[in-house]
Amino acid sequence: QVQLVESGGGLVQPGGSLRLSCAASGSIFSIYGRGWYRQAPGKQRELVADITSGGSTNYADFVKGRFTISRDNAKNTVYLQMNSLKPEDTAVYYCNARSLASVYWGQGTQVTVSS
C-alpha cells in the first residue's frame, strides 16, 4: 500500500501562484510514476501533469508554460508549481501514484482562483 498526502491548496487571485506538495509513504519502491489530476465541479477528473521515476514529464495543454511538476526522491515528494493561475484552474487537485498493480490517490486539496 501507498499513502499520499497533499498540501498547499488555498485561495489565490488570478495571476497568482501556488505550490502543491504530495508526500508518499508505504510501499513506495513499487511506484514508477507520479502525477497530479484535478476535478472541477460537474466535470470529470483530468490529468494536469505527471512525472516518471526517471524524471520524464508530461503536461496537459491547458497548463503548459504555467505549471511545473517536479520530484524530490529523498523526500518521496512530488510538487506542482502553479503560476499565472486562472479562474478556470479552480478545482480539487489530486495526487496520484502508479505501480504495476495499482493506482493510488490522495485525498485532494482545493485550489480556488478568484478575485
Side-chain angles (χ1 to χ4, degrees), residues 7-91:
S7 61
L11 173 64
V12 64
Q13 292 186 342
S17 298
L18 282 175
R19 189 176 81 153
L20 306 182
S21 300
C22 174
S25 61
S27 302
I28 56 176
F29 60 89
S30 65
I31 299 302
Y32 68 84
R34 304 279 299 273
W36 288 96
Y37 286 69
R38 72 185 187 186
Q39 188 167 18
K43 295 187 178 182
Q44 290 188 333
R45 191 173 297 189
E46 59 185 357
L47 174 69
V48 175
D50 59 24
I51 185 167
T52 68
S53 56
S56 296
T57 59
N58 176 52
Y59 295 93
D61 287 343
F62 53 78
V63 302
K64 284 182 179 178
R66 300 189 298 127
F67 292 10
T68 302
I69 189 170
S70 61
R71 62 191 299 162
D72 183 335
N73 290 331
K75 296 181 178 180
N76 299 319
T77 298
V78 172
Y79 304 97
L80 185 68
Q81 178 66 43
M82 305 187 293
N83 298 328
S84 302
L85 283 161
K86 305 175 182 180
E88 51 264 43
D89 293 319
T90 295

